[in-house]
Amino acid sequence: MSDSAVTQISPRQRRADGLMIRYADSEGGEEETVLLLNPWPESLFAWETIWSRLAKTARLVAIDLPGFGQSEGRADLLSPRAMGSFLLRLIDEWGLGRPHLVGPDVGTGAVLFAASEDLDRFPSAVVGSGGASFPLEVAGALKQIIEAPDLSGFRALDGRDIVAGALEGIERNRLPQAVREDYLTSYAGDGFVESAAYVRSYPSDLPVLAERLGDIRTPVQIIAGRHDALVPPSNAEFLHARLPHSKLDILDTGHFTWEDGADDYLELTRSWIESHRIVRSGA
């Protein structure tokens, strides 16, 4: 992919819940709307690889969640449960109606909490590659961040360097330089450590989520990487066993399924959305 492809996503800013949120909108004429959430430590540019192709299926609205990417943050939102409530407020404030949700990685918990709070809001959702099981099953640097007594050791590092190391996990997709720089800039300085509060809330939030999974009515497509060194596929299997309406696909990738397995990720997401289109009166 050439750097010129970056122009497919043109970020803007808009307020939601009193915060300035960075977002992009494909502004297509399609009836369906898909709300895409950023993975961590990336941004809405994580969708660059599939943006133009998925936009043929639905109107796309991608956001940097509060405290991630280049959206303004607020400490009380840095947990999956609080972020799920934020999503519902954003959807109402922006008039997005009943969007399909696509939220891998840190978006997984937020999407599922939102779906558990408003059982009939979302026609479908796509999640995966995010900590979801209870007891918690994560590995590598993610496990260290969650279990560390404090983050003083990480604060001694520039967030750019931490993110640069994390991006080495992208094995097949060559990031355009502008996208890579966006990721690095988004978490420079203390940015990465501040956003880490979100995953450090997993031990308290995921037991609550586990109790709610059986009540979720939203059809959920779960996508995980077979060789994920941070979030083992057992998290996806945990969700699949408890969500009443779910489908599980495990790709032959590492953690970054949406980039390293972009073609498969696109096809699974597109077919899931198309098979769960909103039925409108008179249609």
Side-chain angles (χ1 to χ4, degrees):
M1 179 167 41
S2 67
D3 285 6
S4 62
V6 175
T7 58
Q8 293 175 5
I9 294 181
S10 300
R12 289 174 276 179
Q13 291 187 323
R14 182 178 178 182
R15 288 202 173 274
D17 196 30
L19 298 172
M20 193 63 75
I21 301 299
R22 187 172 72 161
Y23 77 103
D25 191 334
S26 68
E27 300 181 325
E30 294 77 7
E31 292 186 344
E32 306 290 319
T33 296
V34 179
L35 179 60
L36 303 116
L37 314 180
N38 69 278
W40 181 62
E42 298 183 323
S43 71
L44 54 79
F45 280 106
W47 303 112
E48 176 64 36
T49 308
I50 67 173
W51 181 263
S52 61
R53 291 179 287 171
L54 188 58
K56 296 176 182 177
T57 296
R59 172 197 175 192
L60 307 181
V61 178
I63 65 170
D64 284 344
L65 293 166
F68 294 92
Q70 294 186 27
S71 284
E72 187 179 3
R74 198 168 69 220
D76 65 293
L77 294 179
L78 287 174
S79 73
R81 187 175 185 177
M83 199 67 81
S85 298
F86 167 82
L87 288 176
L88 293 172
R89 293 192 294 273
L90 177 143
I91 289 165
D92 286 340
E93 288 185 31
W94 290 10
L96 298 181
R98 297 184 60 216
H100 303 262
L101 290 182
V102 178
D105 192 67
V106 292
T108 295
V111 165
L112 295 175
F113 267 113
S116 75
E117 287 187 31
D118 193 336
L119 296 177
D120 298 312
R121 172 60 67 99
F122 306 108
S124 81
V126 179
V127 301
S129 301
S133 63
F134 177 73
L136 185 62
E137 296 183 31
V138 293
L142 179 59
K143 181 179 176 70
Q144 295 174 16
I145 291 169
I146 293 173
E147 296 182 352
D150 61 67
L151 295 179
S152 57
F154 290 93
R155 286 190 183 278
L157 304 172
D158 187 329
R160 287 180 63 95
D161 296 329
I162 299 174
V163 173
L167 295 180
E168 292 180 4
I170 301 177
E171 300 168 346
R172 304 176 190 170
N173 180 47
R174 182 176 179 275
L175 292 177
Q177 184 57 39
V179 171
R180 178 181 173 83
E181 183 59 32
D182 185 81
Y183 295 166
L184 299 178
T185 301
S186 293
Y187 301 95
D190 290 336
F192 179 86
V193 171
E194 296 300 326
S195 63
Y198 184 95
V199 297
R200 284 171 65 81
S201 72
Y202 282 3
S204 58
D205 272 20
L206 294 185
V208 178
L209 179 61
E211 294 179 355
R212 296 188 182 188
L213 293 175
D215 297 326
I216 292 175
R217 298 174 188 165
T218 304
V220 181
Q221 166 74 65
I222 308 162
I223 305 173
R226 189 181 312 280
H227 312 293
D228 193 327
L230 299 172
V231 184
S234 57
N235 288 268
E237 293 162 354
F238 179 93
L239 292 177
H240 185 47
R242 291 162 178 79
L243 288 166
H245 311 288
S246 66
K247 177 174 174 282
L248 171 62
D249 286 275
I250 298 180
L251 306 184
D252 192 28
T253 69
H255 179 70
F256 297 86
T257 56
W258 51 93
E259 288 171 323
D260 279 339
D263 291 343
D264 290 334
Y265 197 99
L266 169 67
E267 185 52 39
L268 289 169
T269 300
R270 182 164 51 196
S271 62
W272 194 247
I273 292 167
E274 290 178 344
S275 63
H276 295 91
R277 288 183 176 276
I278 300 172
V279 178
R280 294 176 171 82
S281 59

